[in-house]
Amino acid sequence: MLLTRVTEHVRTQNWLAVAIDFVIVVVGVLFALVAEQWFRDEQLRKELTQIEVALNASLLQNLFNIREVLAIEPCRQERTEALSSLLVNDRDPWKGLPWTANQGIFETVLPEVLPTPYRMWGSRVWNAEQSGEAIGLMNTDRRRALDTIFTGTNLIQLKQQDVFDALSKLKVLAIARDISASDRTRYLEMLHYYDLQSGLLERMARQTLEQIEVVGYSPDANYIDEFTPYMETYADNRIERYGNCFVPFELPFLGADPVSTPRI
């Protein structure tokens, strides 16, 4: 109909009417583009809200992991030093560990020589979404802060693997046996490597903890409802596994307001 009207106006050389028709067409196209962009932005905002829920769950998981690592750190250092002294000073047949070792999370035949938790560090959501359009709507400072945090947790995950690789080579020390002087030296080198990797992991964990506290987090009510029952038995389970090596800790977000907002 509009095309017929424009044709008629051109045929009759009614240029004012042609101009008006042209303006109507342009305005209509612009309105459609603006409406489409608004609809797209609204979809992205909803998507970002869902992503934020998942990212906050990752932040809280990392926060929990860090608290666990730091709760065990003093005892890990103490036992590492004790084991080092035994390897250096004791020339009698190796009597095994001077403490009762636990089978560990993987329930292996040989027990854990040193207390070392193994956790999955949260970064998969960020790795998958950081290049998406929805993340582009996030506050720039928060986006950069989250990128720093999750880059750090990726490194912690890799460092954790180095720690467990070193620990696996020390498991034989849980068994009473004769160990030659050269073997003692070899195990001592492995122990020092384990200690170095563990120290680096703990250092990165403390740095990441500070970054999480700066960026803030918004606990999701459903996540808290699921996590609270786990924490009710968590301390007892860890004390059973690590004995007096484990120092119970509290998680601040379990008492937080589920609608609190991030600081960045």
Side-chain angles (χ1 to χ4, degrees), residues 6-251:
V6 171
T7 302
E8 177 62 23
H9 291 159
V10 171
R11 187 178 64 81
T12 60
Q13 297 186 355
N14 187 348
W15 303 120
L16 177 61
V18 170
I20 293 174
D21 292 337
F22 177 78
V23 170
I24 292 173
V25 171
V26 171
V27 170
V29 170
L30 290 176
F31 179 80
L33 291 175
V34 170
E36 181 181 6
Q37 185 61 46
W38 180 89
F39 181 73
R40 177 59 178 162
D41 288 345
E42 184 66 18
Q43 285 184 314
L44 291 175
R45 281 190 287 270
K46 292 180 180 179
E47 183 180 341
L48 179 60
T49 299
Q50 296 174 342
I51 292 173
E52 281 280 13
V53 171
L55 289 176
N56 274 284
S58 294
L59 287 174
L60 298 178
Q61 180 62 51
N62 290 328
L63 179 62
F64 168 79
N65 294 349
I66 291 169
R67 295 290 189 189
E68 183 177 60
V69 166
L70 299 183
I72 296 171
E73 178 186 13
C75 183
R76 183 205 66 77
Q77 294 175 339
E78 179 183 330
R79 290 194 175 183
T80 300
E81 185 176 359
L83 199 56
S84 177
S85 297
L86 288 173
L87 286 169
V88 170
N89 301 322
D90 192 351
R91 299 304 177 186
D92 296 329
W94 186 259
K95 300 176 182 179
L97 299 175
W99 52 78
T100 302
N102 188 275
Q103 295 305 120
I105 187 173
F106 300 113
E107 299 294 334
T108 53
V109 175
L110 295 178
E112 288 183 333
V113 174
L114 294 162
T116 308
Y118 189 97
R119 290 291 180 180
M120 297 302 296
W121 294 79
S123 62
R124 292 179 297 280
V125 174
W126 180 257
N127 293 341
E129 301 291 348
Q130 61 177 317
S131 299
E133 289 184 75
I135 292 294
L137 298 179
M138 183 183 290
N139 175 278
T140 301
D141 290 338
R142 179 169 174 80
R143 186 167 68 246
R144 290 174 178 170
L146 289 175
D147 187 60
T148 298
I149 289 172
F150 290 123
T151 297
T153 56
N154 281 333
L155 294 175
I156 291 175
Q157 183 80 44
L158 295 174
K159 189 57 57 182
Q160 179 180 256
Q161 189 58 53
D162 290 338
V163 169
F164 266 78
D165 287 345
L167 189 61
S168 67
K169 299 175 182 177
L170 295 170
K171 280 180 171 287
V172 70
L173 294 178
I175 303 174
R177 60 192 293 267
D178 291 332
I179 301 179
S180 66
S182 61
D183 282 343
R184 285 177 182 272
T185 300
R186 181 166 56 87
Y187 288 129
L188 190 60
E189 290 174 349
M190 294 177 187
L191 180 63
H192 287 179
Y193 178 78
Y194 161 85
D195 186 39
L196 174 61
Q197 302 308 309
S198 296
L200 289 173
L201 188 153
E202 290 154 0
R203 182 181 180 87
M204 288 189 291
R206 282 191 292 272
Q207 292 173 341
T208 303
L209 175 60
E210 294 175 0
Q211 293 165 352
I212 291 176
E213 290 175 343
V214 169
V215 77
Y217 44 81
S218 299
D220 176 72
N222 293 330
Y223 183 87
I224 293 177
D225 289 343
E226 293 176 1
F227 202 78
T228 299
Y230 173 77
M231 288 301 297
E232 291 175 355
T233 58
Y234 166 77
D236 291 338
N237 291 337
R238 283 300 175 270
I239 290 173
E240 180 181 355
R241 176 179 172 186
Y242 294 122
N244 59 5
C245 260
F246 179 76
V247 179
F249 58 89
E250 295 183 357
L251 293 172

